[in-house]
Amino acid sequence: MSSTDVSRLLGLAQKFNNFYLTGVPKGDIRPFLVGGQQVGLIKSDVYKQLLKYPEVFCIRDCEYTKQGLVELNPAFRDYNERTARLEKVLRDLRSEGLFSALQGWREECFEVKSEHRALLKMERAATPLFGVRKYGVDINGYVKHPQHGLCIWLQQRSNTKETWPGKWDNMVGGGLSVGYGIMETAIKEAAEEASIPSDLVKNLVSAGCVSFFFESDQGLFPNTEYVFDLELPVDFVPHNADGEVQAFELLPANECVERVFTPDFKTTSAPVVIDFLIRHGYITAENELNFTQIVELLHVPLQSLYTYKTRLEQKLQQQHASSLPPINKDDNSPTSSSTKRLLENGHNKKESA
């Protein structure tokens, strides 16, 4: 890499730090709980609208969070009931035209989970409003070109896409919809978006994950992308099969970096490209002043944003440590039972007389 390339990269890194990833949410944000578990983050503009649905959302003050919390009515006991009651609210909000995110309604659902347990499913377009974690798959299609060196295939999204229309993007990408696994999604999207044949897609190499937090006027994006690398023959040219891509372009690595940091590139796909260039030695600690910070922003520990109940338990334990007798390991003991009641639904519960 030339000194000019390094200088350009340093400037781009500053843009990356300032405009693309924030690392953690800021401002007036409340935990969103389902089944007593925190699964999301709700900004004040969404919170104000949810106040109109007291039969669906329990809005509570809590001494352990400054803003209080929002909880899906705990009377909704199973996956299907939670999903149906929430969907009705979302369709109402969509009809009122209050949130730009809902203009991209897809009739495609993502699962809302606590750890590995699915609690409900939610329309994909609504997930930024509730700050729930989203998961997707990205494939970096690249070529080792004899003249241009490392080159990367990018796609230009169709102008009719519900989100990010006309923006440049990774060669292949797609969200993990309900009912699809990670590799299953990768293979499906490779065929639909780029017509990659089975004899090539079998060479997919898992390259880990990229996790990042992004905030825009559409909401909160705590995203985790499962990343795959796919080396392609020099003479292979992808073509679209589902009408969601209008063009493909093969760019040398330095031109790809420049494209990523323009307004014409899909913001939430930029981390995947940067991660690829780091792993393949194009961006290094030697040529990038902010290397460590960039790597950290590509691997934000998103689980640390969803620890409301854990933090509450710790505070309650500290508060009552001096007054409660030693806890008996027997779950049927009076002390253990009392502690459980205090933590029911993730908030301080008054005991009955």
Side-chain angles (χ1 to χ4, degrees):
M1 186 184 299
S2 69
S3 59
T4 301
D5 290 333
V6 173
S7 177
R8 182 183 297 117
L9 190 57
L10 289 173
L12 293 173
Q14 191 61 45
K15 291 183 182 179
F16 181 83
N17 185 38
N18 290 342
F19 302 116
Y20 280 73
L21 304 177
T22 59
V24 294
K26 298 177 176 64
D28 185 10
I29 293 178
R30 295 165 173 80
F32 175 50
L33 276 65
V34 176
Q37 304 294 322
Q38 186 185 355
V39 297
L41 303 160
I42 294 182
K43 296 175 67 175
S44 59
D45 58 338
V46 179
Y47 167 79
K48 292 174 183 176
Q49 297 303 320
L50 299 186
L51 290 172
K52 299 187 300 185
Y53 303 92
E55 72 285 0
V56 178
F57 300 100
C58 301
I59 311 296
R60 307 189 177 181
D61 293 328
C62 179
E63 60 183 299
Y64 300 108
T65 63
K66 294 180 180 179
Q67 298 87 6
L69 58 87
V70 179
E71 182 175 17
L72 190 69
N73 193 332
F76 308 152
R77 293 296 183 181
D78 61 32
Y79 181 100
N80 291 331
E81 185 178 10
R82 293 175 187 133
T83 298
R85 297 301 294 267
L86 180 60
E87 182 179 358
K88 185 177 185 304
V89 172
L90 295 178
R91 290 189 180 276
D92 285 348
L93 294 176
R94 179 193 181 194
S95 66
E96 294 174 10
L98 297 172
F99 297 105
S100 60
L102 298 182
Q103 295 175 7
W105 193 281
R106 300 189 184 196
E107 299 294 348
E108 176 185 358
C109 289
F110 285 174
E111 284 192 320
V112 178
K113 297 182 177 181
S114 174
E115 296 181 344
H116 301 294
R117 178 187 169 210
L119 299 172
L120 56 85
K121 64 181 178 180
M122 180 185 293
E123 160 61 36
R124 177 175 180 171
T127 55
L129 302 182
F130 289 82
V132 300
R133 296 188 64 175
K134 294 199 302 182
Y135 299 86
V137 169
D138 280 88
I139 299 176
N140 296 300
Y142 70 99
V143 172
K144 293 180 179 177
H145 198 280
Q147 283 82 43
H148 304 295
L150 180 65
C151 295
I152 301 169
W153 278 106
L154 299 178
Q155 64 154 277
Q156 186 178 25
R157 297 163 67 88
S158 168
N159 288 327
T160 61
K161 288 280 286 185
E162 297 88 348
T163 56
W164 309 98
K167 300 292 186 180
W168 286 94
D169 199 348
N170 301 321
M171 181 185 74
V172 172
L176 275 182
S177 301
V178 173
Y180 288 90
I182 297 168
M183 181 58 76
E184 184 180 12
T185 298
I187 294 172
K188 177 177 75 73
E189 296 292 341
E192 293 176 355
E193 292 196 350
S195 300
I196 300 175
S198 57
D199 62 323
L200 290 180
V201 81
K202 69 180 181 182
N203 298 322
L204 279 173
V205 176
S206 176
C209 295
V210 169
S211 296
F212 56 92
F213 184 90
F214 170 73
E215 183 173 355
S216 75
D217 58 355
Q218 293 203 348
L220 306 174
F221 295 82
N223 289 15
T224 296
E225 300 294 325
Y226 296 98
V227 179
F228 293 85
D229 291 349
L230 180 60
E231 183 175 357
L232 295 165
V234 175
D235 60 354
F236 174 78
V237 178
H239 62 274
N240 182 244
D242 63 3
E244 295 190 355
V245 179
Q246 60 178 301
F248 288 95
E249 187 172 358
L250 183 65
L251 293 177
N254 63 324
E255 293 182 28
C256 185
V257 172
E258 293 184 356
R259 180 73 57 83
V260 164
F261 288 99
T262 66
D264 296 327
F265 199 87
K266 179 174 175 275
T267 303
T268 53
S269 293
V272 176
V273 179
I274 300 302
D275 173 71
F276 174 85
L277 294 170
I278 289 173
R279 290 186 290 102
H280 286 259
Y282 185 82
I283 301 175
T284 70
E286 284 70 38
N287 63 31
E288 172 47 53
L289 181 64
N290 300 306
F291 182 81
T292 302
Q293 186 177 15
I294 289 175
V295 171
E296 290 175 354
L297 287 171
L298 293 173
H299 301 90
V300 173
L302 295 174
Q303 68 274 12
S304 66
L305 305 179
Y306 302 87
T307 58
Y308 166 75
K309 189 170 184 179
T310 300
R311 295 196 305 270
L312 177 57
E313 289 174 346
Q314 292 171 347
K315 290 180 180 179
L316 284 174
Q317 288 171 359
Q318 294 170 2
Q319 177 179 331
H320 295 282
S322 59
S323 59
L324 291 177
I327 296 177
N328 192 317
K329 290 184 179 180
D330 181 1
D331 284 343
N332 295 319
S333 69
T335 300
S336 176
S337 178
S338 173
T339 303
K340 287 181 179 179
R341 287 198 296 273
L342 286 168
L343 297 176
E344 185 175 335
N345 293 324
H347 61 278
N348 196 0
K349 179 184 179 182
K350 294 181 180 178
E351 295 194 67
S352 58

